[in-house]
Amino acid sequence: MEFRAWRAALTLETSEREFAGRFEEFAATGVLYPQREGSPLLEFAAGGRVLYLFDRSGPYAALPGEARVVVHGVLDPAFTRRLPGPAAESLTVLGVSGVEGQGTVLAVRGAAVVVQARLPLVLGSFEGLPALRVGDWLAFRTVPPLHGFLL
């Protein structure tokens, strides 16, 4: 494989603005809590869960209160599989900044899949995705940290 094609296959984002804009329609709505001075983590409550997200929008961009955030994680291929049919949506927080769950596929865009699992999640993969279409069900686990892109 040519180096340029190989590198493009591994690129999930070109910039934080481009990524947030590309997935804006799948932003989760929730509440941001005040963060400690200098902390790179956002505390974001959405879908009945509290997530700690690596702040990709820069220092001091996040204000406490209602917010729309694109929640992005990288899939752990060992725990990613297409489910044979509909299942119950689930989302469990793992450690400080990882999740596992299952949900319905809302979109497939290159190396990313958007899954509705209590809240919309943009999940990227460096290993390739199983064959997925909108409406399929996916079981997944992310590797920490989750990233948050403020809108």
Side-chain angles (χ1 to χ4, degrees):
M1 176 184 288
E2 180 185 327
F3 176 74
R4 190 177 309 194
W6 175 79
R7 184 166 181 217
L10 294 179
T11 302
L12 297 179
E13 63 182 76
T14 56
S15 76
E16 63 278 351
R17 287 186 182 167
E18 179 275 330
F19 189 87
R22 187 165 28 125
F23 292 103
E24 180 176 5
E25 69 185 285
F26 302 109
T29 300
V31 177
L32 280 175
Y33 290 95
Q35 61 190 61
R36 247 183 58 234
E37 180 69 25
S39 174
L41 294 179
L42 300 171
E43 187 174 350
F44 182 59
R49 301 290 181 263
V50 176
L51 305 174
Y52 290 92
L53 310 173
F54 182 71
D55 184 355
R56 293 302 306 276
S57 301
Y60 310 111
L63 299 174
E66 288 288 321
R68 292 185 61 232
V69 177
V70 176
V71 178
H72 174 250
V74 174
L75 291 166
D76 181 335
F79 296 94
T80 302
R81 69 185 190 290
R82 184 178 175 274
L83 297 174
E89 274 184 32
S90 67
L91 188 67
T92 302
V93 176
L94 300 174
V96 173
S97 188
V99 291
E100 73 176 353
Q102 58 189 33
T104 186
V105 173
L106 300 178
V108 180
R109 295 186 180 168
V113 59
V114 181
V115 176
Q116 175 66 39
R118 298 188 61 96
L119 64 136
L121 301 164
V122 178
L123 303 172
S125 175
F126 291 114
E127 302 284 325
L129 294 167
L132 294 168
R133 295 186 316 211
V134 171
D136 286 344
W137 281 79
L138 185 71
F140 60 89
R141 179 182 289 178
T142 65
V143 295
L146 292 172
H147 292 219
F149 296 81
L150 299 170
L151 298 176

